[in-house]
Amino acid sequence: MDFILIAVAVLGGIGLIAALVLYVCSKKFAVYEDPRIAQVTAVLPGANCGGCGFAGCGALADALVKGADAGSIDGLKCPVGGQEVMSQVADLLGMAIANSEPMVAVVRCNGTCALRPRISEYSGLRTCAAMNSCGAGETACGFGCLGCGDCAAACQFDAIHINAETGLPEVDEEKCTSCGACVKICPRHIIELRKKGPKSRRIFVSCVNKDKGPVAMKACKAACIGCGKCQKECKFEAITVENNVAYIDFNKCRLCRKCVEACPTGAIHALNFPAPKPKPEAVKVPDGSTVGKKTDPTKAGKEAQA
């Protein structure tokens, strides 16, 4: 019996001493965490996609709180939550943020199966990264989409899929959160985040081929040939031609679509615009002249006789 009491006393003493040691250590080595970090984390969507540039929502929340203490959180944003979530965060931290335009992923390749014929067959690991490391892929274009779907696999929001008919990825702009996962994973860098634009209208060059015109056209019938016609047509200096390929600055573009009409290969795409109105046809009148719009020939003849 005495042995049992002694054992209980010893164990109790050891437990008490250990508790005291843990208590002292917890106080001495305690790491203070601002309670606002947990509050901001709760507001964020919790996707942990990395689109903000941080390891996850917790890291972004920490950066936002530190930015608020420094006086500004400009430049920090959650692409998944968008303006609505960032407004809630700003209110929580007592800060003001500038309105930012929504972004969307854009695929800058128009090399469909019909326009960019296959010249070889790849046999190996069916990923864009693996195929790209082996060379140009299955077509003569060393810059275009490889069509293996790495971007679709990287998207956590089911916003991008490979079209079986064209072999190209297509972005569902309603689901796209502009997290940038597809942009980072693409080995050819053909996916870009651009402003969604008013009424989701945007214009971009759907090609990144840096080869000279004849070589690019041989590989893909819809390639940009770097002719510069679009650049000459643009009155807003939104288009530059570098390394034989044109690029449209979405911050300068005024969506006039003149570059679309000027492009000889159809490499410039205009999305979500209304169909252009048909041009009026010229109508001949009895005196042999024409008028630039549809008119009543009888009326036009009477006017000519008068």
Side-chain angles (χ1 to χ4, degrees):
M1 190 68 177
D2 292 339
F3 291 107
I4 296 176
L5 294 175
I6 292 172
V8 171
V10 171
L11 290 175
I14 293 174
L16 180 61
I17 293 171
L20 290 172
V21 171
L22 291 174
Y23 176 78
V24 172
C25 290
S26 67
K27 293 297 182 181
K28 185 173 181 61
F29 301 105
V31 177
Y32 172 77
E33 182 177 277
D34 195 315
R36 293 177 298 172
I37 296 177
Q39 295 173 356
V40 173
T41 303
V43 173
L44 296 175
N48 294 316
C49 61
C52 57
F54 295 91
C57 293
L60 174 60
D62 182 61
L64 287 166
V65 171
K66 290 179 179 178
D69 291 339
S72 174
I73 58 173
D74 290 341
L76 299 173
K77 68 173 184 176
C78 173
V80 177
Q83 189 68 27
E84 182 180 353
V85 167
M86 291 307 299
S87 297
Q88 295 178 26
V89 171
D91 292 340
L92 183 62
L93 299 176
M95 303 293 294
I97 59 171
N99 291 330
S100 59
E101 295 189 45
M103 309 286 282
V104 67
V106 167
V107 179
R108 295 187 58 210
C109 178
N110 192 36
T112 63
C113 298
L115 298 174
R116 187 172 47 140
R118 181 182 297 181
I119 60 172
S120 62
E121 184 175 352
Y122 170 78
S123 179
L125 182 62
R126 201 72 186 179
T127 67
C128 296
M131 187 182 292
N132 183 63
S133 65
C134 294
E138 297 180 320
T139 69
C141 179
F143 299 89
C145 177
L146 294 164
C148 295
D150 288 18
C151 51
C155 182
Q156 300 183 38
F157 308 98
D158 194 39
I160 186 166
H161 299 91
I162 300 296
N163 185 311
E165 183 177 348
T166 64
L168 296 175
E170 295 180 349
V171 178
D172 185 339
E173 60 185 57
E174 297 302 322
K175 293 182 179 180
C176 180
T177 62
S178 68
C179 69
C182 56
V183 177
K184 296 175 184 176
I185 202 71
C186 179
R188 294 277 176 92
H189 308 292
I190 66 166
I191 305 180
E192 176 190 17
L193 292 180
R194 297 179 69 90
K195 286 183 179 179
K196 201 168 185 178
K199 298 182 180 180
S200 294
R201 296 174 181 174
R202 48 196 176 276
I203 298 174
F204 59 94
V205 180
S206 188
C207 182
V208 295
N209 194 327
K210 296 180 176 61
D211 288 330
K212 291 185 178 180
V215 179
M217 284 296 293
K218 187 177 181 180
C220 179
K221 296 178 182 178
C224 174
I225 57 177
C227 63
K229 290 184 178 180
C230 55
Q231 185 180 26
K232 294 177 182 178
E233 194 69 32
C234 183
K235 306 300 181 183
F236 308 102
E237 299 182 350
I239 303 178
T240 55
V241 178
E242 187 176 352
N243 294 325
N244 304 311
V245 65
Y247 179 78
I248 299 177
D249 185 343
F250 53 79
N251 290 309
K252 295 180 179 179
C253 179
R254 295 296 179 268
L255 305 177
C256 67
R257 290 187 287 174
K258 291 184 178 180
C259 57
V260 180
E261 299 174 1
C263 180
T265 64
I268 302 180
H269 287 195
L271 297 184
N272 301 320
F273 285 86
K277 295 180 180 180
K279 295 182 179 180
E281 299 177 0
V283 179
K284 291 185 178 181
V285 292
D287 64 352
S289 62
T290 60
V291 293
K293 60 181 180 179
K294 292 183 179 180
T295 58
D296 184 351
T298 304
K299 183 178 179 182
K302 291 181 180 179
E303 291 177 354
Q305 292 175 358

